[in-house]
Amino acid sequence: MTATTAAPAAATTTSTAPSSVGSARATAGRLPIRYVLLETRRQLRNVKAMVFTFAIPVVLLLVFGAAYGGQVDPVTHLPFLVVTTLQMTAYGAMMAALSQAFSLVTERSIGWNRQLRVTPLSGWAFLVSKLVAAMAFSAVSVVITFAIAILGMHASLGAGHWAAAGLGIWAGVVPFALIAILVGQFAKPAYAQPLFMVVFMGLSILGGLWVPLSVMPAWMGSIAHLLPSYWLNRIGQMGAGATGSAGMTEPALVLVGWTVVLAAVIVWRYRRDAARR
């Protein structure tokens, strides 16, 4: 289902709902499960976006993973193939989450967001619906990249470490889904594509998802520690058993901090727009 076909349904629901303020307030705090599932299913039906999103990290994994062979990374003490797998998994999951910005910009341009604001849908419910869709999209990317690395390239790592790394990266994409929502709330259709590329490429390169920071200038390492993309890769490495850190706690706390700040800004923006109507 597309946003253009979903809009009339929202309008119908609004017109048949009781007009009393008390009824609207009673439903505003509830999470509309049907809308969340509808939004998730709509995103997963976008075959073109899925193929493009999932193909890039797999191709990069095949190229870089084969180039490193059986060498061991001196920083993490993990096989380079595993390190590359984690980088490309984080890269693909981040791209899947950030790509939600395009659907949001489209929805704004056709007036779908205005329809939502006249319904009892709260700011938190709107946030959760977009977040769940992005997380589902990212989960598929994580599974595909791991499957290629394990089954196709014979990346060697214990099952427990694979599970911890995969779950860590998947959970860590939450702030990137929120960045996509924020971009979708502010960007105009004409500037959505270039803005997405600046944000995505900046996070990918400066966060060390393309090239290990150990071979980059020192100043890039300082910048990387400020970005959620660095910590997304790091939480995967810690889950995989990398050495040189206390564990997954530090990257998890940094990503939670990004999540809290971004979520607060998104809900504020949604409520402000709703108050204007």
Side-chain angles (χ1 to χ4, degrees):
M1 178 178 290
T2 62
T4 52
T5 58
T12 302
T13 303
T14 305
S15 62
T16 57
S19 58
S20 66
V21 175
S23 177
R25 288 178 177 174
T27 56
R30 299 176 186 173
L31 180 63
I33 301 300
R34 286 188 63 188
Y35 180 74
V36 171
L37 295 177
L38 181 70
E39 180 67 22
T40 303
R41 188 164 57 246
R42 183 174 68 87
Q43 295 293 336
L44 293 177
R45 284 179 177 176
N46 191 344
V47 177
K48 292 182 179 179
M50 291 181 70
V51 170
F52 178 78
T53 301
F54 302 153
I56 292 179
V58 169
V59 170
L60 293 176
L61 172 62
L62 293 173
V63 172
F64 293 124
Y68 287 127
Q71 302 177 56
V72 174
D73 178 22
V75 178
T76 62
H77 295 97
L78 294 171
F80 262 121
L81 178 56
V82 172
V83 172
T84 305
T85 299
L86 298 175
Q87 287 176 319
M88 292 304 105
T89 301
Y91 173 80
M94 183 182 73
M95 181 164 60
L98 288 175
S99 65
Q100 305 303 306
F102 292 112
S103 65
L104 283 160
V105 172
T106 301
E107 289 172 7
R108 283 179 53 228
S109 67
I110 64 174
W112 175 228
N113 278 17
R114 288 194 298 272
Q115 291 289 339
L116 291 179
R117 292 190 192 105
V118 299
T119 71
L121 186 70
S122 67
W124 284 110
F126 169 80
L127 174 66
V128 170
S129 68
K130 299 300 182 183
L131 183 59
V132 170
M135 294 298 288
F137 211 42
S138 298
V140 178
S141 178
V142 171
V143 170
I144 290 176
T145 310
F146 269 24
I148 295 297
I150 296 170
L151 301 178
M153 305 184 72
H154 307 292
S156 179
L157 196 65
H161 284 313
W162 279 124
L167 289 174
I169 291 174
W170 176 70
V173 301
V174 171
F176 300 95
L178 299 181
I179 291 174
I181 296 172
L182 201 58
V183 171
Q185 285 181 318
F186 284 95
K188 296 181 179 180
Y191 304 111
Q193 181 73 27
L195 181 59
F196 170 83
M197 293 305 298
V198 168
V199 173
F200 176 63
M201 297 296 289
L203 290 172
S204 299
I205 297 173
L206 297 177
L209 298 183
W210 278 11
V211 180
L213 293 172
S214 57
V215 300
M216 302 298 286
W219 62 268
M220 285 191 64
S222 301
I223 294 177
H225 281 74
L226 302 175
L227 302 177
S229 49
Y230 168 81
W231 297 103
L232 180 66
N233 184 37
R234 194 64 178 155
I235 201 171
Q237 292 177 346
M238 292 300 98
T243 58
S245 178
M248 302 176 72
T249 303
E250 184 181 12
L253 289 175
V254 174
L255 292 170
V256 167
W258 273 92
T259 298
V260 171
V261 172
L262 290 167
V265 174
I266 290 168
V267 173
W268 166 80
R269 169 75 179 191
Y270 184 88
R271 289 175 175 172
R272 193 188 71 166
D273 288 350
R276 290 175 174 177
R277 302 294 171 184

